[in-house]
Structure formats: structure tokens, C-alpha cells
Amino acid sequence: MTDARRAPSLRPLHAALLAAVALLAVAAPAAARAADDRVIFRLTDPLGDDHGDGSLRYPRSNDLKRGDLDIASFSAREEKGGTFFEVTFARRIRRTEPRAIDEGATLLTDVARLGFYTFNVDVYVDTDRKPGSGNVQLLPGRLAELQPEYAWEKCIALTPRPWDAGDETKRILTRRQRMEELKARGGKEKLPRETAQEISAEVNRLVDEKVFFPTVVQVNGPTVRFFVPASFLGGPARPEWAYVVFVTGADILQKLDLASLLGIDKKAALPGPYLIPVAYGSWENKFGTDTIDELLPPIVDLVVPPGASQEKLLGSSDPETDTPVRLPGVVPADLPPAGAAGKAR
Ligand SMILES: [Ca+2]
Ligand SMILES: [Ca+2]
């Protein structure tokens, strides 16, 4: 398309030739596309690796069992007005049902209104592919960063409570920004009201611009599909972009105590909204581990590029130096055909 548009500025003969070639080039993928149902890319992930760095144990809860958060594939499909991303798990997704989840007779279907309730999927997209350009920090509570080479411009956060998760994310980030500003000023007095408001306005603006919480979601067997409008990504998803994709457990009833943020010095160690954390030992409501590492991410399954090891990556934090794990992106266009991504362990 681009070549065809540029053609008139070239010498006539070349222009005609280029236009013909461009037409051919456009026609071939279009045909493939029709047969391929408008799939932009598809990444596969090994089965049986829903254990983070290798040490994660599922909570002893009836709502979550091994395999539930095991990613089998991640794909993108162009649809009218945007992109449907799709994650297929190793097992059927647990559907919400109208059962009471507290003493006030709140129903699960009141809180988790999109049909699922056990997981979050994060997708960080590096759209400019310029090393060092973009964000390396992830959403709160992930205890991970991105390798600067894959710094992201856009983040898609699929969660069972998208409306609340958006608000909570803003509250957590505002709180942290205010704490950092206070610290920078010597930490003695309160922030002037104006400064505090400026910080919150800026955080709100950034989250609205850069993070999308899908609300058009379809759950079907082991597969969840979620729609991201072209207006957010600047068009349909592209296979030349880099993607960091992982799943965490969702705790839809979690109440975050923001006051507890005050005691947190480690940059990465913020709590995350509706995220099941990891802790040493075995737990009813947390992922358990035998690793003593307060920066061990609560990431259960991660899609990695060929040659990389999920277990090594997720186990590479260094609490001593306050260094969280740093994750690489996957570029679908760079992969060998048939979606070899993640095959390497
Ligand atoms: Ca997997
Ligand atoms: Ca994986």
C-alpha cells in the first residue's frame, strides 16, 4: 500500500513497475488472509509451565487448579474497528455464576461481569521498536520490568473488574508519585495541595492514554477474546511490534490497604489491584513458593521468545540490590513459521 502511494513521485517507468509489484504484494497476503480468517499472528506457549520461575504453587483454593492459568497460545485477529486478542489456556475457563461471595449476598456475577474471574492477562506492546524509548515499569504489583530494548508504548490489561482496576491503578500510582515527590522535598511537610492535584491529574492522563482495560470480552471453553479498538493502538495490531504477555491470578474481592504503601521502599514492590500475590510457604489465597525472594513476581505463565527460559527470567530478581526481573518481548514477525515462540525452555 505504502509503495503504491509513493509511486507517482518516481520516474514513470519505474513507477509503473513498482505499482504492479505493489499490487501483487498486496494481493498475496490478502488472499492468505481470507483463508486465514484475518489472523495477524499467533504465538504458542508450552503446556505445563504455569509455575512462574518453576517454584510457584497454586493457592489451596477451590477456585483455582493447576492448568487454569497455563497459556497455550496468544493471538491477534483484525476485526472491524480494531483487534481481537485471544488467549487459549490449557483448561476450560471457570465461568462466573450467580453464587453469593460474601455475607452481604453479593453475587460473583455482580462483581465479575465479563464472564471470568480467576485471572488477569497483561499485554505490553512496544510499537516503536526503538531501544530505550517507552516505559519499562509495569502495572503495580507485577514485580517486574521490561528489558529497555522492549520498552512499551501501550498496555492492555485484561481483568475481571476493568472499571475498578483502572481506578485502583490510578490511586496506587498517584500515591507512589506523591510519596516520591515528598521524599524529593526532604519528606518533612505535606505536599502542597496544588502539587498533589497536579500529580493525580498527570497520572490519570497517562493511564488513560497508555493503558486499556478491555470491556468487550468473550469467554468460550478454554479461550478468552478481548477487543482493543484501533483508536487505542493507532490501527490493528502488527506482527512487527514486540509483545510481552503474561497471566496472573485474580483476587476479585481484594481490598488494598493503600496506607501500607507508606512502608514500601522497594520500587517494584507495590501491591497490584485484584492480583493474587506470591508468598513463601503454602497458602489458601496466595501462590506459594519455597524461594525466599520478596521480588519473586506473581506471574504464573509468560510467553517468551525462542531460546529464552521463562523459569530463568522469572527467577532472576535480586532483592539485595532491589533489582526486579526484566522481561523480553516477542516479535511475531521475527519468529520462524508455525509459531515456534516459547518452545524453548
Ligand atoms: Ca503455558
Ligand atoms: Ca510460558
PDB file of all heavy atoms in Angstrom, residues 44-52 70-72 245 300-304 310-311 314 342 344-345, ligand 2:
ATOM      1  N   THR A  44       2.575 -19.517  20.293  1.00  0.00           N
ATOM      2  CA  THR A  44       2.232 -20.659  21.137  1.00  0.00           C
ATOM      3  C   THR A  44       3.129 -20.667  22.370  1.00  0.00           C
ATOM      4  O   THR A  44       4.215 -20.083  22.380  1.00  0.00           O
ATOM      5  CB  THR A  44       2.401 -21.996  20.381  1.00  0.00           C
ATOM      6  OG1 THR A  44       3.742 -22.073  19.922  1.00  0.00           O
ATOM      7  CG2 THR A  44       1.460 -22.067  19.199  1.00  0.00           C
ATOM      8  N   ASP A  45       2.650 -21.307  23.410  1.00  0.00           N
ATOM      9  CA  ASP A  45       3.400 -21.399  24.660  1.00  0.00           C
ATOM     10  C   ASP A  45       3.324 -22.848  25.130  1.00  0.00           C
ATOM     11  O   ASP A  45       2.299 -23.505  24.946  1.00  0.00           O
ATOM     12  CB  ASP A  45       2.772 -20.459  25.703  1.00  0.00           C
ATOM     13  CG  ASP A  45       3.641 -20.309  26.930  1.00  0.00           C
ATOM     14  OD1 ASP A  45       4.639 -19.572  26.853  1.00  0.00           O
ATOM     15  OD2 ASP A  45       3.341 -20.945  27.953  1.00  0.00           O
ATOM     16  N   PRO A  46       4.404 -23.349  25.738  1.00  0.00           N
ATOM     17  CA  PRO A  46       4.387 -24.748  26.182  1.00  0.00           C
ATOM     18  C   PRO A  46       3.290 -24.999  27.221  1.00  0.00           C
ATOM     19  O   PRO A  46       2.914 -24.090  27.953  1.00  0.00           O
ATOM     20  CB  PRO A  46       5.759 -24.947  26.830  1.00  0.00           C
ATOM     21  CG  PRO A  46       6.575 -23.774  26.454  1.00  0.00           C
ATOM     22  CD  PRO A  46       5.659 -22.671  26.066  1.00  0.00           C
ATOM     23  N   LEU A  47       2.817 -26.220  27.284  1.00  0.00           N
ATOM     24  CA  LEU A  47       1.865 -26.594  28.335  1.00  0.00           C
ATOM     25  C   LEU A  47       2.633 -27.062  29.562  1.00  0.00           C
ATOM     26  O   LEU A  47       3.761 -27.539  29.461  1.00  0.00           O
ATOM     27  CB  LEU A  47       0.943 -27.712  27.837  1.00  0.00           C
ATOM     28  CG  LEU A  47       0.001 -27.294  26.699  1.00  0.00           C
ATOM     29  CD1 LEU A  47      -0.878 -28.471  26.279  1.00  0.00           C
ATOM     30  CD2 LEU A  47      -0.852 -26.102  27.094  1.00  0.00           C
ATOM     31  N   GLY A  48       2.031 -26.895  30.735  1.00  0.00           N
ATOM     32  CA  GLY A  48       2.639 -27.396  31.967  1.00  0.00           C
ATOM     33  C   GLY A  48       3.639 -26.450  32.594  1.00  0.00           C
ATOM     34  O   GLY A  48       4.352 -26.830  33.522  1.00  0.00           O
ATOM     35  N   ASP A  49       3.705 -25.195  32.119  1.00  0.00           N
ATOM     36  CA  ASP A  49       4.672 -24.253  32.700  1.00  0.00           C
ATOM     37  C   ASP A  49       3.959 -23.152  33.482  1.00  0.00           C
ATOM     38  O   ASP A  49       4.480 -22.033  33.609  1.00  0.00           O
ATOM     39  CB  ASP A  49       5.570 -23.650  31.612  1.00  0.00           C
ATOM     40  CG  ASP A  49       4.763 -22.862  30.589  1.00  0.00           C
ATOM     41  OD1 ASP A  49       3.522 -23.028  30.555  1.00  0.00           O
ATOM     42  OD2 ASP A  49       5.370 -22.068  29.841  1.00  0.00           O
ATOM     43  N   ASP A  50       2.784 -23.454  34.037  1.00  0.00           N
ATOM     44  CA  ASP A  50       2.069 -22.453  34.844  1.00  0.00           C
ATOM     45  C   ASP A  50       2.603 -22.484  36.272  1.00  0.00           C
ATOM     46  O   ASP A  50       1.885 -22.733  37.229  1.00  0.00           O
ATOM     47  CB  ASP A  50       0.548 -22.675  34.803  1.00  0.00           C
ATOM     48  CG  ASP A  50       0.136 -24.110  35.074  1.00  0.00           C
ATOM     49  OD1 ASP A  50       0.969 -25.026  34.930  1.00  0.00           O
ATOM     50  OD2 ASP A  50      -1.038 -24.311  35.453  1.00  0.00           O
ATOM     51  N   HIS A  51       3.901 -22.205  36.380  1.00  0.00           N
ATOM     52  CA  HIS A  51       4.587 -22.256  37.670  1.00  0.00           C
ATOM     53  C   HIS A  51       5.616 -21.126  37.815  1.00  0.00           C
ATOM     54  O   HIS A  51       6.562 -21.238  38.588  1.00  0.00           O
ATOM     55  CB  HIS A  51       5.249 -23.624  37.867  1.00  0.00           C
ATOM     56  CG  HIS A  51       6.145 -24.007  36.712  1.00  0.00           C
ATOM     57  ND1 HIS A  51       6.365 -25.318  36.334  1.00  0.00           N
ATOM     58  CD2 HIS A  51       6.842 -23.260  35.833  1.00  0.00           C
ATOM     59  CE1 HIS A  51       7.182 -25.347  35.281  1.00  0.00           C
ATOM     60  NE2 HIS A  51       7.489 -24.126  34.983  1.00  0.00           N
ATOM     61  N   GLY A  52       5.447 -20.044  37.039  1.00  0.00           N
ATOM     62  CA  GLY A  52       6.350 -18.893  37.166  1.00  0.00           C
ATOM     63  C   GLY A  52       7.804 -19.266  36.974  1.00  0.00           C
ATOM     64  O   GLY A  52       8.196 -19.763  35.917  1.00  0.00           O
ATOM     65  N   ASP A  70      -2.529 -21.768  32.636  1.00  0.00           N
ATOM     66  CA  ASP A  70      -1.474 -22.224  31.726  1.00  0.00           C
ATOM     67  C   ASP A  70      -1.804 -21.756  30.303  1.00  0.00           C
ATOM     68  O   ASP A  70      -2.730 -22.264  29.671  1.00  0.00           O
ATOM     69  CB  ASP A  70      -1.401 -23.760  31.797  1.00  0.00           C
ATOM     70  CG  ASP A  70      -0.217 -24.325  31.020  1.00  0.00           C
ATOM     71  OD1 ASP A  70       0.503 -23.542  30.366  1.00  0.00           O
ATOM     72  OD2 ASP A  70      -0.042 -25.559  31.067  1.00  0.00           O
ATOM     73  N   ILE A  71      -1.044 -20.773  29.812  1.00  0.00           N
ATOM     74  CA  ILE A  71      -1.282 -20.249  28.465  1.00  0.00           C
ATOM     75  C   ILE A  71      -0.853 -21.290  27.429  1.00  0.00           C
ATOM     76  O   ILE A  71       0.253 -21.832  27.507  1.00  0.00           O
ATOM     77  CB  ILE A  71      -0.473 -18.955  28.214  1.00  0.00           C
ATOM     78  CG1 ILE A  71      -0.870 -17.867  29.219  1.00  0.00           C
ATOM     79  CG2 ILE A  71      -0.656 -18.459  26.782  1.00  0.00           C
ATOM     80  CD1 ILE A  71      -0.008 -16.604  29.120  1.00  0.00           C
ATOM     81  N   ALA A  72      -1.731 -21.568  26.475  1.00  0.00           N
ATOM     82  CA  ALA A  72      -1.378 -22.453  25.358  1.00  0.00           C
ATOM     83  C   ALA A  72      -1.060 -21.622  24.123  1.00  0.00           C
ATOM     84  O   ALA A  72      -0.162 -21.954  23.356  1.00  0.00           O
ATOM     85  CB  ALA A  72      -2.519 -23.424  25.065  1.00  0.00           C
ATOM     86  N   VAL A 245       3.603 -10.817  27.141  1.00  0.00           N
ATOM     87  CA  VAL A 245       2.287 -11.341  27.513  1.00  0.00           C
ATOM     88  C   VAL A 245       2.439 -12.286  28.695  1.00  0.00           C
ATOM     89  O   VAL A 245       3.280 -13.191  28.660  1.00  0.00           O
ATOM     90  CB  VAL A 245       1.671 -12.141  26.332  1.00  0.00           C
ATOM     91  CG1 VAL A 245       0.278 -12.645  26.691  1.00  0.00           C
ATOM     92  CG2 VAL A 245       1.643 -11.305  25.073  1.00  0.00           C
ATOM     93  N   VAL A 300       2.388 -16.125  36.599  1.00  0.00           N
ATOM     94  CA  VAL A 300       2.245 -17.576  36.603  1.00  0.00           C
ATOM     95  C   VAL A 300       2.730 -18.189  35.292  1.00  0.00           C
ATOM     96  O   VAL A 300       3.419 -19.198  35.287  1.00  0.00           O
ATOM     97  CB  VAL A 300       0.772 -17.965  36.872  1.00  0.00           C
ATOM     98  CG1 VAL A 300       0.618 -19.476  36.914  1.00  0.00           C
ATOM     99  CG2 VAL A 300       0.289 -17.340  38.178  1.00  0.00           C
ATOM    100  N   ASP A 301       2.343 -17.576  34.192  1.00  0.00           N
ATOM    101  CA  ASP A 301       2.818 -18.065  32.897  1.00  0.00           C
ATOM    102  C   ASP A 301       3.152 -16.866  32.025  1.00  0.00           C
ATOM    103  O   ASP A 301       2.438 -15.866  32.037  1.00  0.00           O
ATOM    104  CB  ASP A 301       1.759 -18.953  32.226  1.00  0.00           C
ATOM    105  CG  ASP A 301       2.339 -19.789  31.084  1.00  0.00           C
ATOM    106  OD1 ASP A 301       3.547 -19.643  30.775  1.00  0.00           O
ATOM    107  OD2 ASP A 301       1.582 -20.582  30.489  1.00  0.00           O
ATOM    108  N   LEU A 302       4.262 -16.990  31.289  1.00  0.00           N
ATOM    109  CA  LEU A 302       4.802 -15.898  30.482  1.00  0.00           C
ATOM    110  C   LEU A 302       5.135 -16.449  29.105  1.00  0.00           C
ATOM    111  O   LEU A 302       5.649 -17.554  28.985  1.00  0.00           O
ATOM    112  CB  LEU A 302       6.086 -15.390  31.167  1.00  0.00           C
ATOM    113  CG  LEU A 302       7.040 -14.489  30.404  1.00  0.00           C
ATOM    114  CD1 LEU A 302       6.477 -13.078  30.305  1.00  0.00           C
ATOM    115  CD2 LEU A 302       8.415 -14.447  31.102  1.00  0.00           C
ATOM    116  N   VAL A 303       4.847 -15.684  28.068  1.00  0.00           N
ATOM    117  CA  VAL A 303       5.226 -16.108  26.718  1.00  0.00           C
ATOM    118  C   VAL A 303       6.628 -15.559  26.447  1.00  0.00           C
ATOM    119  O   VAL A 303       6.842 -14.357  26.557  1.00  0.00           O
ATOM    120  CB  VAL A 303       4.225 -15.567  25.674  1.00  0.00           C
ATOM    121  CG1 VAL A 303       4.638 -15.996  24.265  1.00  0.00           C
ATOM    122  CG2 VAL A 303       2.809 -16.060  25.982  1.00  0.00           C
ATOM    123  N   VAL A 304       7.566 -16.435  26.131  1.00  0.00           N
ATOM    124  CA  VAL A 304       8.954 -15.988  25.946  1.00  0.00           C
ATOM    125  C   VAL A 304       9.415 -16.195  24.507  1.00  0.00           C
ATOM    126  O   VAL A 304       8.882 -17.040  23.797  1.00  0.00           O
ATOM    127  CB  VAL A 304       9.933 -16.726  26.909  1.00  0.00           C
ATOM    128  CG1 VAL A 304       9.574 -16.450  28.350  1.00  0.00           C
ATOM    129  CG2 VAL A 304       9.968 -18.210  26.631  1.00  0.00           C
ATOM    130  N   GLN A 310      11.519 -19.166  30.527  1.00  0.00           N
ATOM    131  CA  GLN A 310      10.589 -18.478  31.438  1.00  0.00           C
ATOM    132  C   GLN A 310      11.064 -18.598  32.881  1.00  0.00           C
ATOM    133  O   GLN A 310      11.056 -17.642  33.649  1.00  0.00           O
ATOM    134  CB  GLN A 310       9.201 -19.105  31.291  1.00  0.00           C
ATOM    135  CG  GLN A 310       8.221 -18.705  32.377  1.00  0.00           C
ATOM    136  CD  GLN A 310       6.925 -19.495  32.298  1.00  0.00           C
ATOM    137  OE1 GLN A 310       6.367 -19.664  31.215  1.00  0.00           O
ATOM    138  NE2 GLN A 310       6.445 -19.987  33.421  1.00  0.00           N
ATOM    139  N   GLU A 311      11.481 -19.805  33.245  1.00  0.00           N
ATOM    140  CA  GLU A 311      11.869 -20.070  34.632  1.00  0.00           C
ATOM    141  C   GLU A 311      13.081 -19.225  35.020  1.00  0.00           C
ATOM    142  O   GLU A 311      13.128 -18.639  36.098  1.00  0.00           O
ATOM    143  CB  GLU A 311      12.160 -21.560  34.824  1.00  0.00           C
ATOM    144  CG  GLU A 311      10.909 -22.453  34.748  1.00  0.00           C
ATOM    145  CD  GLU A 311      10.407 -22.694  33.321  1.00  0.00           C
ATOM    146  OE1 GLU A 311      11.121 -22.313  32.354  1.00  0.00           O
ATOM    147  OE2 GLU A 311       9.302 -23.244  33.162  1.00  0.00           O
ATOM    148  N   LEU A 314      12.036 -15.403  35.192  1.00  0.00           N
ATOM    149  CA  LEU A 314      11.211 -15.036  36.344  1.00  0.00           C
ATOM    150  C   LEU A 314      11.938 -15.272  37.668  1.00  0.00           C
ATOM    151  O   LEU A 314      11.512 -14.779  38.712  1.00  0.00           O
ATOM    152  CB  LEU A 314       9.877 -15.787  36.314  1.00  0.00           C
ATOM    153  CG  LEU A 314       8.932 -15.356  35.179  1.00  0.00           C
ATOM    154  CD1 LEU A 314       7.681 -16.213  35.150  1.00  0.00           C
ATOM    155  CD2 LEU A 314       8.553 -13.878  35.307  1.00  0.00           C
ATOM    156  N   GLY A 342       8.249 -19.602  22.324  1.00  0.00           N
ATOM    157  CA  GLY A 342       8.034 -20.222  23.629  1.00  0.00           C
ATOM    158  C   GLY A 342       8.348 -21.701  23.655  1.00  0.00           C
ATOM    159  O   GLY A 342       8.262 -22.326  24.694  1.00  0.00           O
ATOM    160  N   ALA A 344      11.213 -23.048  23.294  1.00  0.00           N
ATOM    161  CA  ALA A 344      12.440 -23.266  24.053  1.00  0.00           C
ATOM    162  C   ALA A 344      12.179 -23.127  25.536  1.00  0.00           C
ATOM    163  O   ALA A 344      11.384 -22.314  25.952  1.00  0.00           O
ATOM    164  CB  ALA A 344      13.495 -22.239  23.611  1.00  0.00           C
ATOM    165  N   ARG A 345      12.816 -23.925  26.331  1.00  0.00           N
ATOM    166  CA  ARG A 345      12.597 -23.847  27.777  1.00  0.00           C
ATOM    167  C   ARG A 345      13.875 -23.502  28.482  1.00  0.00           C
ATOM    168  O   ARG A 345      14.923 -23.895  28.079  1.00  0.00           O
ATOM    169  CB  ARG A 345      12.105 -25.191  28.308  1.00  0.00           C
ATOM    170  CG  ARG A 345      10.744 -25.528  27.809  1.00  0.00           C
ATOM    171  CD  ARG A 345       9.690 -24.711  28.534  1.00  0.00           C
ATOM    172  NE  ARG A 345       9.689 -25.024  29.960  1.00  0.00           N
ATOM    173  CZ  ARG A 345       8.985 -26.023  30.506  1.00  0.00           C
ATOM    174  NH1 ARG A 345       8.242 -26.764  29.752  1.00  0.00           N
ATOM    175  NH2 ARG A 345       8.994 -26.238  31.801  1.00  0.00           N
TER     176      ARG A 345
HETATM  177 CA    CA B   2       5.160 -19.858  29.214  1.00  0.00          CA
END
